[in-house]
């Protein structure tokens, strides 16, 4: 899946470090509900899923 496959791309923001451009995260402005919590960044959702495995 790439950006061209996302229907509502205006709901996504890419945040990155302007100092070295190595740290970035994807923010979904509407949030993703998972296990009764709402996650707005891809990294926080990945951390939550990783802790369960």
């Amino acid at each position: 899946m790439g950006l061209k496959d996302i229907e509502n791309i205006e709901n996504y923001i890419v945040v990155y470090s302007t100092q070295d451009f190595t740290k970035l995260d994807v923010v979904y402005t509407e949030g993703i509900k998972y296990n009764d919590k709402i996650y707005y960044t891809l990294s926080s959702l990945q951390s939550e899923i990783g802790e369960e495995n």
Side-chain angles (χ1 to χ4, degrees):
M1 178 177 190
L3 291 177
K4 65 181 170 82
D5 300 316
I6 299 172
E7 291 182 22
N8 295 321
I9 198 163
E10 65 270 2
N11 295 331
Y12 295 85
I13 301 169
V14 176
V15 180
Y16 60 91
S17 169
T18 58
Q19 293 181 0
D20 59 10
F21 301 102
T22 59
K23 298 177 183 175
L24 66 91
D25 207 344
V26 176
V27 177
Y28 181 55
T29 58
E30 295 183 8
I32 299 169
K33 190 169 184 179
Y34 181 75
N35 285 343
D36 296 325
K37 295 180 186 177
I38 296 178
Y39 297 90
Y40 293 95
T41 63
L42 180 60
S43 63
S44 63
L45 180 59
Q46 287 176 321
S47 293
E48 178 71 18
I49 292 170
E51 289 177 6
E52 291 180 359
N53 294 329

